[in-house]
Each structure stands twice: as structure tokens, then as C-alpha cells.
Amino acid sequence: MTLRSVVAFFAHPDDETVLAGGLIALLARQGAAVHIVCATRGEGGEAGEPPVVLRRELLGTAREAELRCAARALGATVTVLDYVDPTIGPDEALFPFECDFTTLAGQFADIARQRRADLVLTHGGDGEYGHPAHQLVNQAVLYAIPRALPGTLVYTVAALVPQIEDRLWNASEPAHLALDIRPWAEAKVQAMECHVSQHALFKRRRQLQTVREALRTVESVRRAWPEPRGEPPRDAFADLLRTAGAWQP
Ligand SMILES: [Zn+2]
């Protein structure tokens, strides 16, 4: 089986780049049609320093444009769903977007079916650093895809690589494979450059000077479906990753 069609489900603009930009660029360069589905426009997030928009109600439109720019850089296409990203609360409290779970799962299944997805990528079950919107997308994907498309592979991203310190790892999901994505770094850095509203955030977390320095050079995955019997999993995606130099942490 070759990977002709890949669909990546994420919660906010920039998740695709930060969590899986190298993997998406690799898949696109291997000839797969990669489609990013973003549940919200990220209108509840940061507006940038200085802000990319003068009025907060314009942030969603600006971040959607940033996402489309990033997708082009990575070699992917985009669908943005109309869920509303709630504003970050006091003390940096994070919230999921409001939705009917069955409707959300149905939308995910419809998109994956229409695109005849061989592989689906999504957030980890821990929501990486515990973001409830990431967890919601993970749960909807894992509910929808095995039922609607049992032959489609589902992998979660940012799976734990214990040897590397990274606040984005899903601590309860050990990686099946980890990849040094530096051969695809130019596309990922270009995509990071697109997310102008998030640059201050990218740099602040590790007190960096440039966006490029915020590049995560190792990306990792865990197969969620079909549940692997014995490790490591063998399938078209795992084989592609191994060919690209991936290792089992
Ligand atoms: Zn996010």
C-alpha cells in the first residue's frame, strides 16, 4: 500500500506546523495529497506582539490566512471548520471549543471518506500539554475513523520520546517512531514564519531571538489504529518513516 491521501485533523492554526510540520512536508514530498483540517480559526489565541490585527474580532480571519500560508509552505491543502476557539481564560486557562461530539466526529469521517484517506494524523490523547481542544479532536478522530474507515491508519503526533525534553510530548503515549525532520526543516521554518500572530509565543516559551530557533527538530508518532499488536507497527507509514531515518525510541 502506498500513501496516496493523508488527512491531518488539528484544533488550531499552527498545531499542524508545530506538531507535524516536518512529517507533513515529508509526506507531501513523497507524493501524498496531504489535507489539513483545522476545527477552529484560533480566534481565542494570542494576537501577536505587536498584534497582527487592530480588532480582536479580525483575529480568526488573520489566523486562517496564516494557516493557508503555512499549508502552502508544507505542500498541503486546508479545510477550516466553523467551530469557535474560546478566548484563553484568566491564569492561562484553556478551553475546548463548543460542539456536538457526534456531529464533529461525523464531519471528520465525511472528510476522510471523501478524500479516501490512507492515513489520518491527529493530536495525542493528552492534548500534548493538556489542551482540552486538542483532546477533543483526538477523541472525535478516534471515535470516527475506526468506525467509518476501518482500513485507514490513524497515528497521533507528539508521542513521548523519553530521551528528548519537550513540553509538547503526550506523556502517556510513548512514541512508536521518532524522526529527525531537519531534511524538511526549510518547509517547516517557512510555515512557522507564516504564523506571524504566534511568533511572540514561539519565542517567549524558550526565550529565543528568532522563529527558526524555535524549530522542533524531532517529530514523533504513535499508531492508534489499528491498535498495534506487538511493537513496532509495520505499515506503509511506518515503512516510509523508517526509510526516512526514523527510529524507535
Ligand atoms: Zn492548538
Side-chain angles (χ1 to χ4, degrees), residues 159-176:
L160 174 67
V161 181
Q163 298 85 354
I164 297 171
E165 200 171 313
D166 190 330
R167 62 180 283 277
L168 299 182
W169 295 146
N170 287 269
S172 65
E173 297 183 337
H176 285 137

PDB file of all heavy atoms in Angstrom, residues 159-176:
ATOM      1  N   ALA A 159       4.162  12.075  20.207  1.00  0.00           N
ATOM      2  CA  ALA A 159       4.212  10.959  21.148  1.00  0.00           C
ATOM      3  C   ALA A 159       5.539  11.032  21.917  1.00  0.00           C
ATOM      4  O   ALA A 159       6.551  11.514  21.401  1.00  0.00           O
ATOM      5  CB  ALA A 159       4.099   9.639  20.390  1.00  0.00           C
ATOM      6  N   LEU A 160       5.504  10.530  23.136  1.00  0.00           N
ATOM      7  CA  LEU A 160       6.637  10.710  24.056  1.00  0.00           C
ATOM      8  C   LEU A 160       7.933  10.075  23.534  1.00  0.00           C
ATOM      9  O   LEU A 160       7.976   8.886  23.216  1.00  0.00           O
ATOM     10  CB  LEU A 160       6.281  10.074  25.402  1.00  0.00           C
ATOM     11  CG  LEU A 160       7.410  10.041  26.448  1.00  0.00           C
ATOM     12  CD1 LEU A 160       7.760  11.445  26.908  1.00  0.00           C
ATOM     13  CD2 LEU A 160       7.002   9.156  27.625  1.00  0.00           C
ATOM     14  N   VAL A 161       8.966  10.895  23.457  1.00  0.00           N
ATOM     15  CA  VAL A 161      10.332  10.413  23.200  1.00  0.00           C
ATOM     16  C   VAL A 161      11.116  10.716  24.476  1.00  0.00           C
ATOM     17  O   VAL A 161      11.517  11.856  24.704  1.00  0.00           O
ATOM     18  CB  VAL A 161      10.964  11.135  21.988  1.00  0.00           C
ATOM     19  CG1 VAL A 161      12.373  10.610  21.722  1.00  0.00           C
ATOM     20  CG2 VAL A 161      10.093  10.984  20.757  1.00  0.00           C
ATOM     21  N   PRO A 162      11.291   9.714  25.349  1.00  0.00           N
ATOM     22  CA  PRO A 162      11.805   9.998  26.695  1.00  0.00           C
ATOM     23  C   PRO A 162      13.192  10.634  26.698  1.00  0.00           C
ATOM     24  O   PRO A 162      13.528  11.367  27.631  1.00  0.00           O
ATOM     25  CB  PRO A 162      11.842   8.626  27.374  1.00  0.00           C
ATOM     26  CG  PRO A 162      11.169   7.670  26.471  1.00  0.00           C
ATOM     27  CD  PRO A 162      11.012   8.292  25.123  1.00  0.00           C
ATOM     28  N   GLN A 163      13.986  10.370  25.646  1.00  0.00           N
ATOM     29  CA  GLN A 163      15.360  10.889  25.629  1.00  0.00           C
ATOM     30  C   GLN A 163      15.413  12.392  25.356  1.00  0.00           C
ATOM     31  O   GLN A 163      16.464  13.016  25.544  1.00  0.00           O
ATOM     32  CB  GLN A 163      16.180  10.177  24.534  1.00  0.00           C
ATOM     33  CG  GLN A 163      16.330   8.676  24.721  1.00  0.00           C
ATOM     34  CD  GLN A 163      15.155   7.881  24.148  1.00  0.00           C
ATOM     35  OE1 GLN A 163      14.151   8.444  23.705  1.00  0.00           O
ATOM     36  NE2 GLN A 163      15.277   6.553  24.160  1.00  0.00           N
ATOM     37  N   ILE A 164      14.316  12.960  24.884  1.00  0.00           N
ATOM     38  CA  ILE A 164      14.336  14.372  24.495  1.00  0.00           C
ATOM     39  C   ILE A 164      13.332  15.147  25.343  1.00  0.00           C
ATOM     40  O   ILE A 164      12.192  14.722  25.502  1.00  0.00           O
ATOM     41  CB  ILE A 164      13.982  14.516  22.990  1.00  0.00           C
ATOM     42  CG1 ILE A 164      15.033  13.809  22.143  1.00  0.00           C
ATOM     43  CG2 ILE A 164      13.868  15.984  22.588  1.00  0.00           C
ATOM     44  CD1 ILE A 164      14.676  13.701  20.686  1.00  0.00           C
ATOM     45  N   GLU A 165      13.767  16.284  25.872  1.00  0.00           N
ATOM     46  CA  GLU A 165      12.871  17.100  26.680  1.00  0.00           C
ATOM     47  C   GLU A 165      12.038  17.989  25.762  1.00  0.00           C
ATOM     48  O   GLU A 165      12.585  18.681  24.902  1.00  0.00           O
ATOM     49  CB  GLU A 165      13.699  17.948  27.644  1.00  0.00           C
ATOM     50  CG  GLU A 165      12.873  18.433  28.813  1.00  0.00           C
ATOM     51  CD  GLU A 165      13.729  19.073  29.874  1.00  0.00           C
ATOM     52  OE1 GLU A 165      14.762  18.477  30.233  1.00  0.00           O
ATOM     53  OE2 GLU A 165      13.370  20.174  30.324  1.00  0.00           O
ATOM     54  N   ASP A 166      10.748  17.939  25.910  1.00  0.00           N
ATOM     55  CA  ASP A 166       9.861  18.741  25.059  1.00  0.00           C
ATOM     56  C   ASP A 166       8.516  18.846  25.761  1.00  0.00           C
ATOM     57  O   ASP A 166       7.889  17.831  26.061  1.00  0.00           O
ATOM     58  CB  ASP A 166       9.698  18.049  23.695  1.00  0.00           C
ATOM     59  CG  ASP A 166       8.992  18.931  22.674  1.00  0.00           C
ATOM     60  OD1 ASP A 166       8.151  19.767  23.067  1.00  0.00           O
ATOM     61  OD2 ASP A 166       9.283  18.782  21.473  1.00  0.00           O
ATOM     62  N   ARG A 167       8.060  20.067  26.026  1.00  0.00           N
ATOM     63  CA  ARG A 167       6.804  20.237  26.754  1.00  0.00           C
ATOM     64  C   ARG A 167       5.599  19.769  25.955  1.00  0.00           C
ATOM     65  O   ARG A 167       4.514  19.631  26.481  1.00  0.00           O
ATOM     66  CB  ARG A 167       6.607  21.707  27.149  1.00  0.00           C
ATOM     67  CG  ARG A 167       6.513  22.651  25.976  1.00  0.00           C
ATOM     68  CD  ARG A 167       6.325  24.094  26.444  1.00  0.00           C
ATOM     69  NE  ARG A 167       4.968  24.365  26.886  1.00  0.00           N
ATOM     70  CZ  ARG A 167       3.965  24.677  26.062  1.00  0.00           C
ATOM     71  NH1 ARG A 167       4.154  24.750  24.761  1.00  0.00           N
ATOM     72  NH2 ARG A 167       2.757  24.937  26.549  1.00  0.00           N
ATOM     73  N   LEU A 168       5.798  19.513  24.662  1.00  0.00           N
ATOM     74  CA  LEU A 168       4.661  19.115  23.824  1.00  0.00           C
ATOM     75  C   LEU A 168       4.418  17.611  23.799  1.00  0.00           C
ATOM     76  O   LEU A 168       3.396  17.162  23.281  1.00  0.00           O
ATOM     77  CB  LEU A 168       4.857  19.627  22.384  1.00  0.00           C
ATOM     78  CG  LEU A 168       4.941  21.145  22.252  1.00  0.00           C
ATOM     79  CD1 LEU A 168       5.095  21.543  20.790  1.00  0.00           C
ATOM     80  CD2 LEU A 168       3.706  21.819  22.842  1.00  0.00           C
ATOM     81  N   TRP A 169       5.333  16.816  24.305  1.00  0.00           N
ATOM     82  CA  TRP A 169       5.101  15.364  24.267  1.00  0.00           C
ATOM     83  C   TRP A 169       3.835  14.985  25.025  1.00  0.00           C
ATOM     84  O   TRP A 169       3.573  15.497  26.114  1.00  0.00           O
ATOM     85  CB  TRP A 169       6.262  14.589  24.889  1.00  0.00           C
ATOM     86  CG  TRP A 169       7.610  14.618  24.273  1.00  0.00           C
ATOM     87  CD1 TRP A 169       8.789  14.581  24.968  1.00  0.00           C
ATOM     88  CD2 TRP A 169       7.981  14.645  22.885  1.00  0.00           C
ATOM     89  NE1 TRP A 169       9.845  14.599  24.091  1.00  0.00           N
ATOM     90  CE2 TRP A 169       9.383  14.644  22.817  1.00  0.00           C
ATOM     91  CE3 TRP A 169       7.249  14.695  21.689  1.00  0.00           C
ATOM     92  CZ2 TRP A 169      10.086  14.672  21.601  1.00  0.00           C
ATOM     93  CZ3 TRP A 169       7.932  14.733  20.483  1.00  0.00           C
ATOM     94  CH2 TRP A 169       9.317  14.716  20.446  1.00  0.00           C
ATOM     95  N   ASN A 170       3.111  14.011  24.497  1.00  0.00           N
ATOM     96  CA  ASN A 170       1.992  13.388  25.202  1.00  0.00           C
ATOM     97  C   ASN A 170       2.591  12.338  26.148  1.00  0.00           C
ATOM     98  O   ASN A 170       2.985  11.251  25.711  1.00  0.00           O
ATOM     99  CB  ASN A 170       1.048  12.743  24.196  1.00  0.00           C
ATOM    100  CG  ASN A 170       0.250  13.771  23.424  1.00  0.00           C
ATOM    101  OD1 ASN A 170      -0.843  14.140  23.838  1.00  0.00           O
ATOM    102  ND2 ASN A 170       0.806  14.264  22.318  1.00  0.00           N
ATOM    103  N   ALA A 171       2.629  12.674  27.435  1.00  0.00           N
ATOM    104  CA  ALA A 171       3.410  11.878  28.386  1.00  0.00           C
ATOM    105  C   ALA A 171       2.928  10.434  28.498  1.00  0.00           C
ATOM    106  O   ALA A 171       3.716   9.532  28.768  1.00  0.00           O
ATOM    107  CB  ALA A 171       3.375  12.551  29.761  1.00  0.00           C
ATOM    108  N   SER A 172       1.634  10.190  28.281  1.00  0.00           N
ATOM    109  CA  SER A 172       1.127   8.825  28.465  1.00  0.00           C
ATOM    110  C   SER A 172       1.114   8.017  27.166  1.00  0.00           C
ATOM    111  O   SER A 172       0.587   6.908  27.134  1.00  0.00           O
ATOM    112  CB  SER A 172      -0.265   8.863  29.092  1.00  0.00           C
ATOM    113  OG  SER A 172      -1.180   9.463  28.213  1.00  0.00           O
ATOM    114  N   GLU A 173       1.684   8.577  26.088  1.00  0.00           N
ATOM    115  CA  GLU A 173       1.672   7.878  24.800  1.00  0.00           C
ATOM    116  C   GLU A 173       3.089   7.751  24.242  1.00  0.00           C
ATOM    117  O   GLU A 173       3.553   8.620  23.492  1.00  0.00           O
ATOM    118  CB  GLU A 173       0.776   8.634  23.804  1.00  0.00           C
ATOM    119  CG  GLU A 173      -0.669   8.678  24.260  1.00  0.00           C
ATOM    120  CD  GLU A 173      -1.601   9.350  23.260  1.00  0.00           C
ATOM    121  OE1 GLU A 173      -1.127  10.154  22.429  1.00  0.00           O
ATOM    122  OE2 GLU A 173      -2.804   9.066  23.321  1.00  0.00           O
ATOM    123  N   PRO A 174       3.790   6.684  24.598  1.00  0.00           N
ATOM    124  CA  PRO A 174       5.155   6.514  24.097  1.00  0.00           C
ATOM    125  C   PRO A 174       5.182   6.415  22.564  1.00  0.00           C
ATOM    126  O   PRO A 174       4.302   5.797  21.968  1.00  0.00           O
ATOM    127  CB  PRO A 174       5.598   5.183  24.724  1.00  0.00           C
ATOM    128  CG  PRO A 174       4.649   4.931  25.846  1.00  0.00           C
ATOM    129  CD  PRO A 174       3.369   5.600  25.490  1.00  0.00           C
ATOM    130  N   ALA A 175       6.183   7.047  21.972  1.00  0.00           N
ATOM    131  CA  ALA A 175       6.291   7.062  20.508  1.00  0.00           C
ATOM    132  C   ALA A 175       6.620   5.670  19.972  1.00  0.00           C
ATOM    133  O   ALA A 175       7.423   4.947  20.563  1.00  0.00           O
ATOM    134  CB  ALA A 175       7.368   8.046  20.087  1.00  0.00           C
ATOM    135  N   HIS A 176       5.991   5.317  18.865  1.00  0.00           N
ATOM    136  CA  HIS A 176       6.431   4.142  18.112  1.00  0.00           C
ATOM    137  C   HIS A 176       7.623   4.492  17.230  1.00  0.00           C
ATOM    138  O   HIS A 176       8.518   3.669  17.024  1.00  0.00           O
ATOM    139  CB  HIS A 176       5.294   3.593  17.252  1.00  0.00           C
ATOM    140  CG  HIS A 176       4.256   2.858  18.047  1.00  0.00           C
ATOM    141  ND1 HIS A 176       2.908   3.008  17.834  1.00  0.00           N
ATOM    142  CD2 HIS A 176       4.384   1.970  19.070  1.00  0.00           C
ATOM    143  CE1 HIS A 176       2.249   2.227  18.688  1.00  0.00           C
ATOM    144  NE2 HIS A 176       3.113   1.604  19.447  1.00  0.00           N
TER     145      HIS A 176
END
